[in-house]
Amino acid sequence: MTAGTASASTPKDSLVVGWQFDDIITLDTAEVFEFSGAEIVGNSYDRLIGYDPNDVSNIFGVAAESWEVSDDGKVFTFKMRKGIKFASGGEMTAEDAAFSLQRAIILDKSPAFILTQFGFTAENVKDKIKAVDLDTLTIETDKAYAPTFVLYCLSSTIASVVDKEEVLKHEVDGDLGFAWLRTHYAGSGPFKIEQWKPSEIVVLSANKDYWDGAPKMKNVFIRHIGESSVQQLLLEKGDIDIARNLETEQLKSVSSNDHIDLLKKGKGALYYLSMNLKDPILAKPEVQEALKYLIDYKGLEETVWAGRGQVQQAFLPKGFLGALEDQPFSLDVEKAKKLLAKAGYPDGFDIELIVRNAPIRIDTAKSFQTTFAKAGINVKLIPMDGKQVLTVYRARKHQLFFGAWGPDYQDPHTNADTFAKNLDNSDDAKSKPVAWRNAYAPKEMTKETLSAVLESDAAKRASMYLKIQKEHQKQAPFAFIMQEQEVAGVRDDVEGFILGPSFDNNSYKDVVKK
């Protein structure tokens, strides 16, 4: 077949997706914390709360049909939606919702902090989160947080509702069904997980009894295809309906194919350069500012990131409440040289930059290397695999680091808590956010971040985050560079595939084939 040949290779009632999903390590909703696994769970489980992927401010009930907040702002009472059935045939109740949240906190896996930040512990959770009756769930937080903050956390993957009876059937030695659910399914979502073979295939089948309407696709076959060039070839031949990992050159190539559409969506992931203030050179404010003026933001957007990213220079992604879209920095070598001279480095200096060994990250880091050299800064790039680079970064043993951060939920606190708050800057601190990793401990900004999460008025809260970000842009050791735009190549007979603002709300439910 030629690249432009129309296809009839995939079944009309099934969707075939080419995707690199070798990051999936579990399908247990209490443990899933990887991009690919979260997407699978997002298509197969109902969560208490959802939001419009095109307007995240539009929050609505999913498994919870409605809710009320007590006068003191600490007790949330949810009425469960009637008529939701699990794959086992059992009907969902408030008991299932309470069990799911309690279970996540008791198991205490990687994403548990999304819930424990409200004061829940293994010891108190059954008193703080409970089913009053089959239709009513109550959640009592330790403080009166902004209601939307609580609700956004309940829209995250960890708030997925599992079938209590089915899960406990498979409990072994008090593990709450953990060993079983890592590779099995106990949900109520639009699709059922039929099969998962690591780094090979995921098979989803339509839930014909789904409360919000059964999917049109009988099956979704997700094939692990690690090479993006192979994804392109199979997409052009029609052997797959959607390609998820096309690189910049391949996107350019398929853009002229009449049978392929490019679906684009801005995501919450931000790519940034960070500077460890433990380093005496980087600790100087003039050096930090100089580096921000030695990045070719627009050039990167037009070349390395063409079609896959847009410049964003603040710690909140565009689309979030209170996101600052000002872009005060651009490549200005002369200004950077003056700042370096003021800092005592008129001839520049030598520095190391650690980066994950992935094409787009390496290419971006090479751009830094080129532009920094114009001011006499000699950058030694140290590529590492993902595990290695995170180990060094989390131990704050780097000088410069280039990487990405993706929000855990659609509330601004998720990133403010990460980049603008540091309660304890000691090496043995219990809490180690990204600010801590770079020895950045802004006392006043930390106070402002803690205040913003408690503000219930959305307009006031947005203005608080704008203020924090403006100050952060000026004095924090971070240069935010690019906000990711996800791009999928889609055959022109496929409609309804949704790329959401977060990795866990990309959706296959409304896909149809013409």
Side-chain angles (χ1 to χ4, degrees):
M1 283 187 175
T2 63
T5 303
S7 165
S9 298
T10 61
K12 281 291 184 183
D13 64 353
S14 296
L15 185 73
V16 183
V17 181
W19 193 24
Q20 184 177 1
F21 60 78
D22 53 357
D23 60 331
I24 301 179
I25 62 171
T26 179
L27 296 176
D28 190 328
T29 59
E31 186 184 25
V32 167
F33 206 45
E34 295 71 40
F35 289 175
S36 303
E39 179 172 319
I40 300 303
V41 167
N43 280 275
S44 54
Y45 284 84
D46 285 317
R47 291 171 250 187
L48 287 168
I49 301 294
Y51 54 83
D52 186 338
N54 296 312
D55 178 9
V56 299
S57 66
N58 180 14
I59 301 173
F60 50 79
V62 182
E65 189 169 33
S66 63
W67 62 87
E68 293 179 351
V69 184
S70 63
D71 292 340
D72 67 1
K74 294 168 64 175
V75 180
F76 290 72
T77 301
F78 298 90
K79 287 295 181 182
M80 300 298 294
R81 187 181 301 278
K82 294 183 179 181
I84 299 180
K85 290 188 176 182
F86 289 111
S88 67
E91 188 161 333
M92 181 190 293
T93 72
E95 288 282 356
D96 298 293
F99 169 76
S100 301
L101 298 174
Q102 293 167 0
R103 178 178 181 272
I105 290 161
I106 293 167
L107 290 175
D108 197 26
K109 301 302 177 181
S110 295
F113 74 92
I114 297 173
L115 299 175
T116 58
Q117 65 185 327
F118 298 111
F120 304 129
T121 66
E123 291 72 31
N124 72 17
V125 68
K126 291 186 179 180
D127 292 325
K128 299 295 183 180
I129 300 177
K130 54 190 176 184
V132 176
D133 54 43
L134 293 180
D135 300 324
T136 310
L137 171 74
T138 62
I139 298 177
E140 182 182 356
T141 60
D142 60 340
K143 297 178 183 177
Y145 298 94
T148 51
F149 171 44
V150 178
L151 294 172
Y152 277 125
C153 288
L154 293 177
S155 75
S156 64
T157 305
I158 199 169
S160 302
V161 183
V162 303
D163 184 340
K164 177 180 179 179
E165 183 178 354
E166 185 68 18
V167 170
L168 289 181
K169 281 181 184 177
H170 303 278
E171 184 177 34
V172 177
D173 297 329
D175 74 344
L176 298 174
F178 176 67
W180 178 81
L181 197 56
R182 298 189 87 220
T183 56
H184 291 82
Y185 175 63
S188 63
F191 289 96
K192 304 173 185 178
I193 302 174
E194 294 289 350
Q195 184 182 29
W196 165 43
K197 290 186 177 180
S199 298
E200 186 174 338
I201 195 167
V202 174
V203 180
L204 306 178
S205 65
N207 177 358
K208 297 177 182 178
D209 299 319
Y210 189 56
W211 65 269
D212 196 29
K216 296 293 190 297
M217 292 293 99
K218 182 179 178 181
N219 297 291
V220 178
F221 300 100
I222 305 172
R223 296 173 53 189
H224 175 71
I225 303 171
E227 293 294 328
S228 53
S229 58
V230 177
Q231 288 190 24
Q232 177 188 353
L233 177 63
L234 295 177
L235 181 67
E236 290 175 331
K237 290 175 63 179
D239 289 340
I240 61 175
D241 299 304
I242 300 175
R244 298 290 300 278
N245 303 104
L246 301 179
E247 299 287 343
T248 301
E249 290 303 314
Q250 290 147 351
L251 292 172
K252 290 179 182 177
S253 177
V254 302
S255 65
S256 60
N257 189 315
D258 292 339
H259 296 288
I260 296 173
D261 299 320
L262 294 180
L263 181 64
K264 303 177 181 181
K265 181 69 177 184
K267 312 296 278 193
L270 295 173
Y271 285 76
Y272 67 96
L273 177 74
S274 73
M275 314 159 206
N276 189 350
L277 299 189
K278 283 199 159 194
D279 184 278
I281 298 175
L282 297 175
K284 296 193 174 184
E286 296 87 357
V287 172
Q288 297 166 36
E289 188 177 1
L291 296 192
K292 295 174 186 178
Y293 282 107
L294 285 173
I295 296 170
D296 187 5
Y297 302 89
K298 285 297 181 183
L300 284 166
E301 183 180 52
E302 293 168 0
T303 56
V304 174
W305 288 86
R308 299 172 65 193
Q310 54 183 327
V311 174
Q312 174 63 351
Q313 295 184 354
F315 68 67
L316 284 181
K318 295 175 184 176
F320 271 58
L321 176 73
L324 178 67
E325 298 190 23
D326 295 354
Q327 296 182 6
F329 304 108
S330 59
L331 180 61
D332 190 333
V333 177
E334 291 309 310
K335 187 168 186 175
K337 284 181 176 179
K338 290 178 182 178
L339 287 163
L340 290 173
K342 186 177 178 181
Y345 301 100
D347 300 320
F349 49 82
D350 294 341
I351 202 83
E352 293 183 349
L353 189 160
I354 62 171
V355 59
R356 182 179 175 183
N357 194 7
I360 202 163
R361 300 189 190 208
I362 294 293
D363 290 344
T364 304
K366 286 180 178 178
S367 174
F368 300 156
Q369 194 176 43
T370 299
T371 51
F372 283 22
K374 294 179 179 181
I377 300 174
N378 178 37
V379 178
K380 180 181 179 181
L381 297 185
I382 304 179
M384 303 177 177
D385 66 29
K387 183 178 180 180
Q388 288 176 319
V389 77
L390 285 176
T391 299
V392 174
Y393 189 42
R394 288 170 177 169
R396 51 182 186 180
K397 293 182 178 180
H398 63 293
Q399 289 180 299
L400 297 176
F401 164 83
F402 176 65
W405 183 265
D408 295 305
Y409 43 86
Q410 297 297 306
D411 185 89
H413 184 68
T414 185
N415 279 19
D417 186 55
T418 298
F419 291 102
K421 188 191 85 173
N422 184 359
L423 293 169
D424 180 359
N425 199 40
S426 63
D427 287 340
D428 58 353
K430 184 176 181 180
S431 176
K432 299 179 179 180
V434 169
W436 176 91
R437 294 179 192 177
N438 294 280
Y440 176 55
K443 292 183 180 179
E444 191 59 34
M445 197 177 296
T446 294
K447 292 178 183 177
E448 292 172 352
T449 297
L450 292 171
S451 295
V453 77
L454 299 175
E455 177 55 60
S456 60
D457 184 284
K460 289 181 181 178
R461 194 166 179 237
S463 67
M464 293 171 80
Y465 286 115
L466 285 169
K467 178 177 181 293
I468 294 170
Q469 287 167 95
K470 287 179 180 179
E471 184 62 28
H472 197 270
Q473 274 185 335
K474 292 177 184 177
Q475 52 105 329
F478 301 98
F480 291 91
I481 299 158
M482 209 68 58
Q483 181 171 344
E484 183 181 1
Q485 178 170 256
E486 185 174 3
V487 185
V490 184
R491 295 291 303 186
D492 65 348
D493 63 337
V494 175
E495 293 180 347
F497 174 54
I498 294 175
L499 287 176
S502 183
F503 45 84
D504 57 350
N505 48 29
N506 296 336
S507 174
Y508 303 107
K509 177 183 178 294
D510 295 324
V511 169
V512 295
K513 287 189 177 181
K514 295 184 288 187

